[in-house]
């Protein structure tokens, strides 16, 4: 028994020895490189074939019980002795590859997950092969990340000298942005003294802001009460008058307003806050302006849509997520900070074992470990660098414009079908709509007996379970109350207009069936 009274379910030491006892030293490199090379080529060929044939595969499918047992059972034996790589790879092909989140599929528009590209996949392989540590120092990967940061800052029209680093995703980038804002606006050394005895620092965003903001104020020790979630207007943008009133009220109460968070694309509807007006407000109130551009910042690359995020370039800090509208694999977030000294001041920590030197491996003045939380950092920049170099910003901008156009096309299909309705204005690439049962005949009588939100929820799940569609749902606050919406967020370079036509048809057909099934359930319950 353990100290907690828990019984060991498996011996922690193997019963037999699988290592030589003759003094031979071990390595994880293969004894036969040619065999590994053959297996590696098979893996690469299989993955390229998988990507080339995505349209022929299910977009998503639930895991059979046997697969769940093989991967998720708590009583599965630990792999004490190794298995041949070919056998392990066969398990990957059978139990993992078919049962993923499916966001690489041409008909994947759920949440905002991005698709990945073949070039970026190859870059990930190369990055893992060299296994670079990109905390800082004198190495090419460090310079590559700095080059990528410079390119991104220029693409977003931020000034020369803008600082930044790549992160695991948009949440981490946003968290770091608020950490820098807190340090810059506290008025004392918050790193040294902490928050004890200080006035409550307050941060402001719309109530449509992603949940990262709540998580950030909690992790920064500010408490959820420090986040002011302000109402939005009919376009789901932050209400500027309500925002100003909240700031004024907090100042009168002795609080310390620190930062305003603007949305360059909200997660629910893709709404764009008025960033130019927020910059004016932040200047007037001597506050930091942080922009969550995880969804929409890269609209700057699309000439026809760049105006949607006008003013983003004036922000004090910007977070973006390159796996979305850069189509990269996870992980690829980014934080950009206008004043290059402030992010270092907020995060840098000295240690004798990492002292910079005039020569050698720790020479150079680039230390990404001083700009964020992580010291050990992978070579995320390689996939960004290779994709930018291979495809070019012009092509990426055209793809973003194509997605915006596809969203408008889907919205037009919805508007033109009497059994579909838009639930939110189209701001950029997120279409929120619902199935609307017919308003005449027997169908109208049936529809009157159906909970509309329950109908949409079931419809979304059935679309997913069909294996043809990855869409998500969300709840929108509308003039008529909370409405559950089918949500299609388009950051997919593989989608075609015909996919959206087929989706609109599938929503109507599935909606009719769900409506009939729900009515049937009610009738059976009434006669039970």
């Amino acid at each position: 028994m353990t100290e907690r009274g828990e019984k060991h379910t498996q011996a922690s030491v193997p019963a037999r020895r699988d290592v030589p006892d003759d003094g031979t030293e071990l390595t994880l490199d293969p004894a036969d490189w040619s065999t590994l090379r053959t297996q590696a080529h098979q893996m690469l060929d299989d993955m390229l074939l998988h990507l080339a044939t995505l349209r022929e595969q299910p977009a998503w499918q639930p895991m059979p019980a046997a697969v769940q047992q093989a991967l998720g059972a708590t009583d599965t034996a630990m792999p004490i002795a190794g298995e041949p790589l070919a056998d392990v790879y066969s398990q990957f092909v059978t139990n993992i590859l078919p049962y993923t989140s499916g966001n690489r599929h041409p008909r994947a528009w759920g949440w905002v997950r991005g698709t990945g590209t073949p070039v970026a996949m190859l870059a990930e392989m190369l990055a893992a092969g060299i296994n670079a540590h990109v905390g800082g120092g004198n190495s090419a990967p460090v310079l590559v990340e700095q080059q990528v940061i410079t390119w991104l800052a220029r693409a977003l029209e931020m000034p020369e000298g803008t600082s930044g680093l790549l992160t695991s995703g948009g949440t981490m980038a946003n968290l770091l942005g608020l950490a820098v804002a807190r340090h810059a606006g506290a008025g004392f050394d918050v790193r040294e003294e902490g928050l004890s005895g200080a006035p409550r620092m307050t941060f402001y965003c719309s109530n449509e802001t992603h949940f990262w903001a709540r998580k950030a104020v909690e992790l920064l020790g500010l408490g959820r009460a420090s986040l002011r979630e302000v109402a939005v207007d009919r376009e789901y943008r932050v209400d500027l008058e309500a925002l100003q009133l909240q700031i004024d009220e907090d100042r009168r109460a002795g609080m310390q307003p620190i930062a305003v968070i603007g949305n360059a694309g909200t997660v629910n509807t893709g709404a764009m806050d008025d960033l130019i007006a927020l910059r004016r407000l932040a200047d007037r109130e001597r506050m930091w302006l942080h922009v969550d551009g995880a969804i929409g910042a890269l609209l700057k690359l699309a000439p026809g849509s760049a105006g949607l995020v006008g003013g983003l370039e004036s922000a004090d800090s910007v977070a973006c997520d390159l796996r979305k509208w850069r189509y990269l694999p996870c992980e690829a977030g980014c934080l950009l900070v206008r004043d290059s000294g402030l992010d270092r001041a907020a995060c840098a920590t000295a240690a004798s074992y990492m002292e910079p030197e005039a020569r050698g491996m720790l020479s150079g003045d680039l230390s990404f470990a001083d700009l964020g939380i992580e010291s050990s950092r992978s070579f995320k920049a390689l996939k960004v660098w290779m994709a930018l170099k291979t495809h070019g910003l012009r092509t990426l901008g055209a793809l973003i414009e194509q997605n915006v156009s596809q969203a408008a096309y889907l919205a037009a299909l919805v508007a033109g079908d009497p059994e579909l309705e838009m639930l939110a204005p189209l701001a950029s690439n997120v279409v929120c709509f619902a199935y609307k049962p017919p308003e005449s005949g027997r169908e109208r009588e049936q529809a009157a007996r159906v909970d509309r939100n329950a109908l949409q929820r079931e419809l979304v799940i059935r679309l997913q379970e069909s294996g043809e569609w990855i869409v998500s749902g969300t709840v929108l606050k509308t003039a008529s109350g909370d409405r559950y919406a089918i949500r299609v967020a388009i950051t997919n370079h593989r989608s075609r207009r015909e996919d959206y036509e087929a989706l609109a048809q599938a929503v109507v057909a599935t909606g009719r069936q769900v409506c009939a099934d729900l009515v049937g359930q009610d009738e059976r319950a009434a006669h039970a």
Side-chain angles (χ1 to χ4, degrees), residues 308-516:
L308 293 173
V309 288
L312 178 143
E313 68 281 353
S314 69
D316 296 298
S317 55
V318 177
C320 51
D321 197 336
L322 306 177
R323 69 181 171 86
K324 294 182 170 68
W325 252 341
R326 272 290 289 100
Y327 311 104
L328 292 174
C330 297
E331 301 169 341
C334 177
L335 173 68
L336 298 173
V337 178
R338 191 178 194 83
D339 187 329
S340 61
L342 291 177
D343 50 355
R344 188 176 301 275
C347 298
T349 302
S352 62
Y353 44 83
M354 287 296 289
E355 286 181 352
E357 302 286 354
R359 297 171 25 243
M361 291 181 67
L362 293 184
S363 63
D365 59 356
L366 286 175
S367 177
F368 290 111
D370 285 346
L371 305 183
I373 295 173
E374 298 169 312
S375 296
S376 298
R377 304 178 67 254
S378 66
F379 195 6
K380 297 179 181 68
L382 186 61
K383 60 190 171 191
V384 187
W385 185 84
M386 288 193 74
L388 284 172
K389 296 277 284 185
T390 302
H391 303 302
L393 288 171
R394 185 180 295 112
T395 296
L396 294 170
L399 279 167
I400 292 170
E401 200 78 77
Q402 176 174 289
N403 285 162
V404 173
S405 175
Q406 288 169 337
Y409 184 65
L410 176 58
L413 292 174
V414 170
D417 193 311
E419 292 183 62
L420 299 174
E421 61 176 328
M422 290 286 290
L423 295 187
L426 176 64
S428 56
N429 66 318
V430 180
V431 184
C432 291
F433 67 108
Y435 171 69
K436 183 175 65 172
E439 298 181 353
S440 61
R442 184 171 183 273
E443 291 86 354
R444 181 179 181 180
E445 297 176 7
Q446 288 182 331
R449 299 159 57 186
V450 172
D451 182 301
R452 294 291 183 93
N453 286 344
L455 189 161
Q456 311 306 325
R457 286 181 182 275
E458 177 64 20
L459 204 166
V460 166
I461 292 172
R462 291 198 192 183
L463 289 171
Q464 294 170 356
E465 290 178 339
S466 73
E468 293 192 47
W469 315 99
I470 296 179
V471 298
S472 56
T474 193
V475 176
L476 302 178
K477 295 188 179 302
T478 72
S480 59
D482 289 354
R483 296 288 305 274
Y484 191 89
I486 304 165
R487 180 178 167 281
V488 174
I490 303 172
T491 54
N492 194 320
H493 64 88
R494 297 187 172 106
S495 302
R496 305 169 185 160
R497 286 199 170 198
E498 64 199 55
D499 294 314
Y500 303 102
E501 294 168 358
L503 173 64
Q505 295 167 7
V507 169
V508 171
T510 307
R512 289 172 179 172
Q513 185 60 56
V514 171
C515 191

Side-chain angles (χ1 to χ4, degrees), residues 180-200:
V180 179
R182 182 188 65 171
H183 179 82
F188 62 95
D189 190 344
V190 68
R191 296 183 65 188
E192 177 68 25
E193 300 177 31
L195 299 172
S196 179
R200 178 176 292 280

